[in-house]
Amino acid sequence: LDIEAGGAFSGYNDVRIPNNIQSTRFSLTDDLESDPVLSFRLNLHYRIHERHRISILYTPLKITPEGSVDRDVVYQGKTFSAGDDLSAVYRFDSYRLQYRYYFPDQRKFIRGIGLTVKVRDAEISVSDGVQSAKKLDTGVVPLINFLFAYDLAAEWSLYLDGEALASPFGRAADILAALKYDVNERYSLKAGYRILEGGSDVDEVYTFALIHYAVAGIIVNF
């Protein structure tokens, strides 16, 4: 069981929905203000063989930007006038099923590689208190996952654990750089920096976001 929690800080978060000249491209971080939020993720791993592991993950994310824009914003066919107080919701909940193969020599820098099926449940909504517009999106995305690590000592290690993939229509990346300390054979502690980045550029939507995380967690071996 891998439990992780920490703060999520918005980098860029650009939106245009639908992705055409009638709609306005605006930023949930530059045009509006996105405060940091608490985040968590639950990851359950099961090693079916010494070199083969499957995992399931649940990680929600909800950011609520607020503020005003100095120009009219056309979003989902509705016009929000310049200067109006706007409140928005950026929600990106992720469910994942992962398979990873571990290489025989775990002393090397690359430790494992595999495939992930990611189900995203996303929402971007905008409201001025009188009218509101919302875009919901649920989809399945394949990713490649990987694990790189370097042992500093018997109990300490640095590692890079991530999932990523890109195509002409968009990209997705979720990568953690962390320091891990093995308390004993059952418990390990970790702390590090995670990025969540990606989005889509298709006729239906244009949305790209970068989220920074400062995280800490505990790993329990049963």
Side-chain angles (χ1 to χ4, degrees):
L1 178 64
D2 186 344
I3 303 172
E4 181 179 303
F9 307 83
S10 297
Y12 52 78
N13 198 335
D14 301 324
V15 176
R16 182 166 69 181
I17 303 176
N19 190 12
N20 55 42
I21 59 174
Q22 287 78 33
S23 300
T24 305
R25 178 172 169 176
F26 64 102
S27 171
L28 298 177
T29 54
D30 296 333
D31 294 316
L32 303 179
E33 183 176 346
S34 297
D35 292 332
V37 298
L38 292 175
S39 70
F40 74 92
R41 61 177 54 204
L42 301 176
N43 215 331
L44 184 62
H45 309 290
Y46 178 68
R47 194 177 289 268
I48 57 179
H49 183 269
E50 182 181 359
R51 299 182 189 172
H52 304 274
R53 189 190 76 181
I54 57 173
S55 307
I56 55 175
L57 167 73
Y58 169 61
T59 175
L61 175 66
K62 184 178 180 180
I63 300 171
T64 54
E66 295 182 340
S68 61
V69 183
D70 60 3
R71 63 193 185 282
D72 290 351
V73 173
V74 181
Y75 177 72
Q76 282 285 79
K78 295 186 178 180
T79 300
F80 300 89
S81 299
D84 286 351
D85 290 331
L86 301 180
S87 59
V89 172
Y90 178 85
R91 181 175 59 82
F92 195 92
D93 299 337
S94 183
Y95 309 83
R96 301 178 206 172
L97 175 64
Q98 180 193 88
Y99 163 77
R100 178 173 288 168
Y101 170 80
Y102 286 86
F103 295 102
D105 189 353
Q106 288 293 291
R107 294 170 298 178
K108 292 185 177 180
F109 183 54
I110 180 169
R111 304 291 173 88
I113 193 167
L115 297 174
T116 298
V117 177
K118 170 183 172 180
V119 178
R120 68 170 184 271
D121 182 17
E123 170 192 347
I124 301 176
S125 63
V126 179
S127 174
D128 62 5
V130 177
Q131 62 175 346
S132 63
K134 179 188 297 186
K135 174 62 177 178
L136 300 175
D137 182 55
T138 301
V140 179
V141 180
L143 301 171
I144 296 174
N145 68 71
F146 52 85
L147 174 64
F148 298 92
Y150 178 76
D151 296 326
L152 300 172
E155 299 87 5
W156 294 90
S157 62
L158 289 169
Y159 70 96
L160 193 70
D161 191 346
E163 298 166 307
L165 197 64
S167 77
F169 309 105
R171 60 182 183 267
D174 186 353
I175 301 172
L176 170 69
L179 176 67
K180 183 164 73 80
Y181 173 68
D182 297 324
V183 179
N184 50 44
E185 291 185 355
R186 184 167 188 180
Y187 298 101
S188 298
L189 303 176
K190 66 175 182 177
Y193 165 70
R194 178 183 294 279
I195 63 166
L196 179 68
E197 198 279 341
S200 299
D201 184 3
V202 294
D203 291 341
E204 187 178 358
V205 300
Y206 177 94
T207 171
F208 283 93
L210 169 64
I211 311 296
H212 305 273
Y213 296 83
V215 300
I218 183 171
I219 302 169
V220 183
N221 297 304
F222 297 97

